[in-house]
Amino acid sequence: MNNENQKQHPLYGALNDLKQLQDLLTNSWSKYYGHFFEKLVGSDTIPFCFTTKECKLYTVVNPKTHTATSFFRLEAIEKSRVKLTLLRAVDIEEQNTNVLKDVVRLEKTETQMTVDLGSMLAIQLLEPALLSKNTYIESKW
């Protein structure tokens, strides 16, 4: 994106930095350490959510599974639009959830979509460890 696009939307800088960091995770390789950064973080994704101008989490419905999600992986920035991969949020009982405090794990889906940034106010990064987290529930007795 050029400077004209940066003036179009205030989130350009943050999204561009996010994309560069995520690309660093996936594209960095060393003959001695392999994909060290990806192994260190435990994922090739930096998950995030959008806040709309109405100060609500931006939520979309996955057309393949008909479940709602507010969690995304950035794939590309195109003018005032972004291409996203939808992430499935799971609670402690392995049920879909869209409540941030209930999320124990995020899963990548195959569904991608393009979103217009016109109604977006901010982004909130989430822990990349949510994509590689295993939850164990032990018996109380």
Side-chain angles (χ1 to χ4, degrees):
M1 287 177 54
N2 58 28
N3 287 339
E4 180 181 306
N5 291 332
Q6 187 173 358
K7 293 177 187 174
Q8 287 180 345
H9 202 280
L11 288 180
Y12 170 80
L15 289 168
N16 192 43
D17 279 359
L18 174 60
K19 181 68 175 134
Q20 288 179 5
L21 288 170
Q22 193 168 263
D23 288 347
L24 180 67
L25 285 176
T26 58
N27 298 330
S28 291
W29 184 85
S30 163
K31 71 179 186 178
Y32 300 108
Y33 305 110
H35 291 281
F36 179 73
F37 290 129
E38 185 176 334
K39 291 175 188 173
L40 185 66
V41 173
S43 175
D44 65 347
T45 299
I46 301 173
F48 72 98
C49 51
F50 279 116
T51 303
T52 66
K53 290 182 179 177
E54 292 81 29
C55 296
K56 296 180 182 179
L57 278 182
Y58 177 71
T59 303
V60 297
V61 175
N62 186 330
K64 293 180 181 176
T65 62
H66 305 290
T67 56
T69 187
S70 297
F71 310 101
F72 310 101
R73 177 186 199 277
L74 182 62
E75 299 297 337
I77 307 168
E78 305 160 349
K79 296 189 179 181
S80 62
R81 301 167 63 100
V82 290
K83 185 175 184 181
L84 307 171
T85 295
L86 305 185
L87 302 176
R88 176 180 175 249
V90 178
D91 67 12
I92 193 82
E93 296 173 347
E94 294 290 319
Q95 299 298 313
N96 293 336
T97 185
N98 216 23
V99 180
L100 188 55
K101 68 177 181 74
D102 293 340
V103 175
V104 295
R105 191 176 73 250
L106 293 171
E107 298 173 354
K108 275 195 236 178
T109 68
E110 295 180 5
T111 306
Q112 293 186 347
M113 61 185 358
T114 302
V115 174
D116 186 7
L117 292 174
S119 62
M120 303 306 168
L121 179 66
I123 63 171
Q124 174 65 49
L125 299 183
L126 303 170
E127 287 289 328
L130 286 171
L131 286 144
S132 59
K133 189 173 186 180
N134 292 321
T135 305
Y136 300 101
I137 302 173
E138 295 184 14
S139 172
K140 184 177 178 180
W141 306 108

mmCIF file of all heavy atoms in Angstrom, residues 88-112:
data_model
loop_
_atom_site.group_PDB
_atom_site.id
_atom_site.type_symbol
_atom_site.label_atom_id
_atom_site.label_comp_id
_atom_site.label_asym_id
_atom_site.label_seq_id
_atom_site.Cartn_x
_atom_site.Cartn_y
_atom_site.Cartn_z
ATOM 1 N N ARG A 88 -11.707 -20.076 14.637
ATOM 2 C CA ARG A 88 -12.783 -20.618 15.467
ATOM 3 C C ARG A 88 -12.348 -20.555 16.918
ATOM 4 O O ARG A 88 -11.280 -21.053 17.283
ATOM 5 C CB ARG A 88 -13.064 -22.068 15.072
ATOM 6 C CG ARG A 88 -14.088 -22.755 15.936
ATOM 7 C CD ARG A 88 -14.310 -24.199 15.463
ATOM 8 N NE ARG A 88 -15.201 -24.869 16.366
ATOM 9 C CZ ARG A 88 -14.843 -25.851 17.193
ATOM 10 N NH1 ARG A 88 -13.609 -26.298 17.204
ATOM 11 N NH2 ARG A 88 -15.724 -26.407 17.997
ATOM 12 N N ALA A 89 -13.169 -19.945 17.756
ATOM 13 C CA ALA A 89 -12.883 -19.830 19.182
ATOM 14 C C ALA A 89 -13.616 -20.939 19.934
ATOM 15 O O ALA A 89 -14.795 -21.178 19.703
ATOM 16 C CB ALA A 89 -13.327 -18.471 19.698
ATOM 17 N N VAL A 90 -12.883 -21.577 20.846
ATOM 18 C CA VAL A 90 -13.422 -22.712 21.590
ATOM 19 C C VAL A 90 -13.320 -22.417 23.080
ATOM 20 O O VAL A 90 -12.308 -21.892 23.553
ATOM 21 C CB VAL A 90 -12.613 -23.987 21.251
ATOM 22 C CG1 VAL A 90 -13.101 -25.181 22.024
ATOM 23 C CG2 VAL A 90 -12.659 -24.266 19.763
ATOM 24 N N ASP A 91 -14.380 -22.786 23.817
ATOM 25 C CA ASP A 91 -14.357 -22.605 25.272
ATOM 26 C C ASP A 91 -13.857 -23.880 25.956
ATOM 27 O O ASP A 91 -13.478 -24.841 25.289
ATOM 28 C CB ASP A 91 -15.720 -22.154 25.802
ATOM 29 C CG ASP A 91 -16.820 -23.194 25.667
ATOM 30 O OD1 ASP A 91 -16.515 -24.378 25.372
ATOM 31 O OD2 ASP A 91 -17.989 -22.829 25.839
ATOM 32 N N ILE A 92 -13.887 -23.908 27.276
ATOM 33 C CA ILE A 92 -13.352 -25.031 28.053
ATOM 34 C C ILE A 92 -14.095 -26.335 27.773
ATOM 35 O O ILE A 92 -13.555 -27.419 27.920
ATOM 36 C CB ILE A 92 -13.364 -24.698 29.578
ATOM 37 C CG1 ILE A 92 -12.536 -25.694 30.382
ATOM 38 C CG2 ILE A 92 -14.775 -24.657 30.110
ATOM 39 C CD1 ILE A 92 -11.097 -25.401 30.378
ATOM 40 N N GLU A 93 -15.347 -26.236 27.323
ATOM 41 C CA GLU A 93 -16.151 -27.422 27.037
ATOM 42 C C GLU A 93 -16.117 -27.799 25.565
ATOM 43 O O GLU A 93 -16.972 -28.554 25.086
ATOM 44 C CB GLU A 93 -17.586 -27.189 27.500
ATOM 45 C CG GLU A 93 -17.681 -27.017 29.001
ATOM 46 C CD GLU A 93 -19.069 -26.613 29.459
ATOM 47 O OE1 GLU A 93 -19.897 -26.223 28.607
ATOM 48 O OE2 GLU A 93 -19.323 -26.686 30.668
ATOM 49 N N GLU A 94 -15.146 -27.233 24.808
ATOM 50 C CA GLU A 94 -14.973 -27.494 23.374
ATOM 51 C C GLU A 94 -16.150 -27.001 22.531
ATOM 52 O O GLU A 94 -16.377 -27.496 21.428
ATOM 53 C CB GLU A 94 -14.740 -28.989 23.109
ATOM 54 C CG GLU A 94 -13.443 -29.520 23.677
ATOM 55 C CD GLU A 94 -12.214 -28.994 22.952
ATOM 56 O OE1 GLU A 94 -12.226 -28.906 21.721
ATOM 57 O OE2 GLU A 94 -11.242 -28.656 23.642
ATOM 58 N N GLN A 95 -16.887 -26.038 23.044
ATOM 59 C CA GLN A 95 -18.001 -25.436 22.308
ATOM 60 C C GLN A 95 -17.528 -24.130 21.675
ATOM 61 O O GLN A 95 -16.643 -23.455 22.208
ATOM 62 C CB GLN A 95 -19.182 -25.165 23.250
ATOM 63 C CG GLN A 95 -19.743 -26.394 23.919
ATOM 64 C CD GLN A 95 -20.307 -27.385 22.925
ATOM 65 O OE1 GLN A 95 -21.043 -27.016 22.021
ATOM 66 N NE2 GLN A 95 -19.941 -28.641 23.074
ATOM 67 N N ASN A 96 -18.147 -23.760 20.544
ATOM 68 C CA ASN A 96 -17.852 -22.466 19.932
ATOM 69 C C ASN A 96 -18.239 -21.359 20.890
ATOM 70 O O ASN A 96 -19.264 -21.441 21.565
ATOM 71 C CB ASN A 96 -18.634 -22.290 18.630
ATOM 72 C CG ASN A 96 -18.193 -23.251 17.560
ATOM 73 O OD1 ASN A 96 -17.072 -23.742 17.576
ATOM 74 N ND2 ASN A 96 -19.066 -23.525 16.625
ATOM 75 N N THR A 97 -17.410 -20.327 20.941
ATOM 76 C CA THR A 97 -17.726 -19.173 21.768
ATOM 77 C C THR A 97 -17.287 -17.910 21.050
ATOM 78 O O THR A 97 -16.410 -17.956 20.201
ATOM 79 C CB THR A 97 -17.056 -19.245 23.157
ATOM 80 O OG1 THR A 97 -17.507 -18.148 23.948
ATOM 81 C CG2 THR A 97 -15.554 -19.199 23.065
ATOM 82 N N ASN A 98 -17.916 -16.834 21.375
ATOM 83 C CA ASN A 98 -17.526 -15.549 20.821
ATOM 84 C C ASN A 98 -17.303 -14.543 21.948
ATOM 85 O O ASN A 98 -17.241 -13.357 21.721
ATOM 86 C CB ASN A 98 -18.590 -15.047 19.847
ATOM 87 C CG ASN A 98 -17.952 -14.330 18.682
ATOM 88 O OD1 ASN A 98 -16.799 -14.552 18.360
ATOM 89 N ND2 ASN A 98 -18.688 -13.442 18.071
ATOM 90 N N VAL A 99 -17.194 -15.059 23.164
ATOM 91 C CA VAL A 99 -16.954 -14.239 24.348
ATOM 92 C C VAL A 99 -15.462 -14.337 24.669
ATOM 93 O O VAL A 99 -14.959 -15.417 24.985
ATOM 94 C CB VAL A 99 -17.808 -14.727 25.535
ATOM 95 C CG1 VAL A 99 -17.549 -13.884 26.763
ATOM 96 C CG2 VAL A 99 -19.284 -14.706 25.161
ATOM 97 N N LEU A 100 -14.770 -13.221 24.581
ATOM 98 C CA LEU A 100 -13.317 -13.203 24.713
ATOM 99 C C LEU A 100 -12.817 -13.856 25.996
ATOM 100 O O LEU A 100 -11.877 -14.634 25.984
ATOM 101 C CB LEU A 100 -12.810 -11.760 24.614
ATOM 102 C CG LEU A 100 -11.311 -11.562 24.539
ATOM 103 C CD1 LEU A 100 -10.706 -12.347 23.391
ATOM 104 C CD2 LEU A 100 -10.979 -10.101 24.407
ATOM 105 N N LYS A 101 -13.484 -13.616 27.108
ATOM 106 C CA LYS A 101 -13.015 -14.174 28.382
ATOM 107 C C LYS A 101 -13.192 -15.692 28.471
ATOM 108 O O LYS A 101 -12.545 -16.336 29.289
ATOM 109 C CB LYS A 101 -13.713 -13.494 29.565
ATOM 110 C CG LYS A 101 -15.181 -13.790 29.689
ATOM 111 C CD LYS A 101 -15.758 -13.126 30.920
ATOM 112 C CE LYS A 101 -17.213 -13.415 31.080
ATOM 113 N NZ LYS A 101 -17.522 -14.756 31.522
ATOM 114 N N ASP A 102 -14.026 -16.266 27.613
ATOM 115 C CA ASP A 102 -14.257 -17.708 27.630
ATOM 116 C C ASP A 102 -13.359 -18.482 26.671
ATOM 117 O O ASP A 102 -13.333 -19.712 26.693
ATOM 118 C CB ASP A 102 -15.719 -18.011 27.273
ATOM 119 C CG ASP A 102 -16.689 -17.527 28.332
ATOM 120 O OD1 ASP A 102 -16.249 -17.319 29.486
ATOM 121 O OD2 ASP A 102 -17.873 -17.340 28.007
ATOM 122 N N VAL A 103 -12.612 -17.794 25.840
ATOM 123 C CA VAL A 103 -11.792 -18.464 24.831
ATOM 124 C C VAL A 103 -10.590 -19.135 25.486
ATOM 125 O O VAL A 103 -9.821 -18.494 26.186
ATOM 126 C CB VAL A 103 -11.304 -17.461 23.763
ATOM 127 C CG1 VAL A 103 -10.359 -18.143 22.782
ATOM 128 C CG2 VAL A 103 -12.473 -16.837 23.032
ATOM 129 N N VAL A 104 -10.473 -20.451 25.265
ATOM 130 C CA VAL A 104 -9.298 -21.171 25.754
ATOM 131 C C VAL A 104 -8.402 -21.601 24.597
ATOM 132 O O VAL A 104 -7.238 -21.906 24.798
ATOM 133 C CB VAL A 104 -9.662 -22.403 26.616
ATOM 134 C CG1 VAL A 104 -10.351 -21.970 27.893
ATOM 135 C CG2 VAL A 104 -10.471 -23.395 25.851
ATOM 136 N N ARG A 105 -8.960 -21.637 23.372
ATOM 137 C CA ARG A 105 -8.169 -22.031 22.214
ATOM 138 C C ARG A 105 -8.779 -21.451 20.943
ATOM 139 O O ARG A 105 -9.992 -21.305 20.841
ATOM 140 C CB ARG A 105 -8.101 -23.550 22.104
ATOM 141 C CG ARG A 105 -7.091 -24.027 21.095
ATOM 142 C CD ARG A 105 -6.945 -25.540 21.037
ATOM 143 N NE ARG A 105 -8.105 -26.139 20.392
ATOM 144 C CZ ARG A 105 -9.022 -26.876 21.002
ATOM 145 N NH1 ARG A 105 -8.947 -27.092 22.297
ATOM 146 N NH2 ARG A 105 -10.016 -27.403 20.342
ATOM 147 N N LEU A 106 -7.923 -21.116 20.005
ATOM 148 C CA LEU A 106 -8.348 -20.675 18.679
ATOM 149 C C LEU A 106 -7.871 -21.698 17.658
ATOM 150 O O LEU A 106 -6.766 -22.225 17.779
ATOM 151 C CB LEU A 106 -7.760 -19.303 18.339
ATOM 152 C CG LEU A 106 -8.251 -18.131 19.177
ATOM 153 C CD1 LEU A 106 -7.408 -16.892 18.876
ATOM 154 C CD2 LEU A 106 -9.717 -17.843 18.893
ATOM 155 N N GLU A 107 -8.726 -21.955 16.660
ATOM 156 C CA GLU A 107 -8.373 -22.889 15.597
ATOM 157 C C GLU A 107 -8.506 -22.186 14.259
ATOM 158 O O GLU A 107 -9.493 -21.495 14.019
ATOM 159 C CB GLU A 107 -9.307 -24.097 15.613
ATOM 160 C CG GLU A 107 -9.251 -24.900 16.879
ATOM 161 C CD GLU A 107 -10.319 -25.988 16.935
ATOM 162 O OE1 GLU A 107 -11.180 -26.047 16.020
ATOM 163 O OE2 GLU A 107 -10.297 -26.764 17.892
ATOM 164 N N LYS A 108 -7.526 -22.384 13.383
ATOM 165 C CA LYS A 108 -7.618 -21.833 12.036
ATOM 166 C C LYS A 108 -8.697 -22.582 11.272
ATOM 167 O O LYS A 108 -8.838 -23.799 11.423
ATOM 168 C CB LYS A 108 -6.305 -22.000 11.280
ATOM 169 C CG LYS A 108 -5.319 -20.924 11.537
ATOM 170 C CD LYS A 108 -4.244 -20.989 10.475
ATOM 171 C CE LYS A 108 -2.901 -21.129 11.111
ATOM 172 N NZ LYS A 108 -1.820 -21.246 10.153
ATOM 173 N N THR A 109 -9.445 -21.852 10.465
ATOM 174 C CA THR A 109 -10.395 -22.474 9.557
ATOM 175 C C THR A 109 -9.871 -22.291 8.139
ATOM 176 O O THR A 109 -8.885 -21.585 7.914
ATOM 177 C CB THR A 109 -11.798 -21.834 9.666
ATOM 178 O OG1 THR A 109 -11.745 -20.496 9.167
ATOM 179 C CG2 THR A 109 -12.301 -21.846 11.099
ATOM 180 N N GLU A 110 -10.520 -22.893 7.188
ATOM 181 C CA GLU A 110 -10.132 -22.733 5.789
ATOM 182 C C GLU A 110 -10.836 -21.539 5.157
ATOM 183 O O GLU A 110 -10.563 -21.201 4.010
ATOM 184 C CB GLU A 110 -10.449 -24.005 5.007
ATOM 185 C CG GLU A 110 -9.622 -25.189 5.459
ATOM 186 C CD GLU A 110 -9.931 -26.450 4.685
ATOM 187 O OE1 GLU A 110 -10.722 -26.394 3.717
ATOM 188 O OE2 GLU A 110 -9.374 -27.502 5.044
ATOM 189 N N THR A 111 -11.718 -20.900 5.888
ATOM 190 C CA THR A 111 -12.531 -19.815 5.344
ATOM 191 C C THR A 111 -11.791 -18.487 5.388
ATOM 192 O O THR A 111 -11.287 -18.088 6.436
ATOM 193 C CB THR A 111 -13.848 -19.686 6.123
ATOM 194 O OG1 THR A 111 -14.501 -20.960 6.141
ATOM 195 C CG2 THR A 111 -14.760 -18.651 5.489
ATOM 196 N N GLN A 112 -11.745 -17.838 4.238
ATOM 197 C CA GLN A 112 -11.160 -16.504 4.142
ATOM 198 C C GLN A 112 -12.213 -15.548 3.621
ATOM 199 O O GLN A 112 -13.119 -15.942 2.883
ATOM 200 C CB GLN A 112 -9.947 -16.489 3.209
ATOM 201 C CG GLN A 112 -8.786 -17.274 3.743
ATOM 202 C CD GLN A 112 -7.551 -17.125 2.889
ATOM 203 O OE1 GLN A 112 -7.590 -16.630 1.773
ATOM 204 N NE2 GLN A 112 -6.419 -17.568 3.413
#
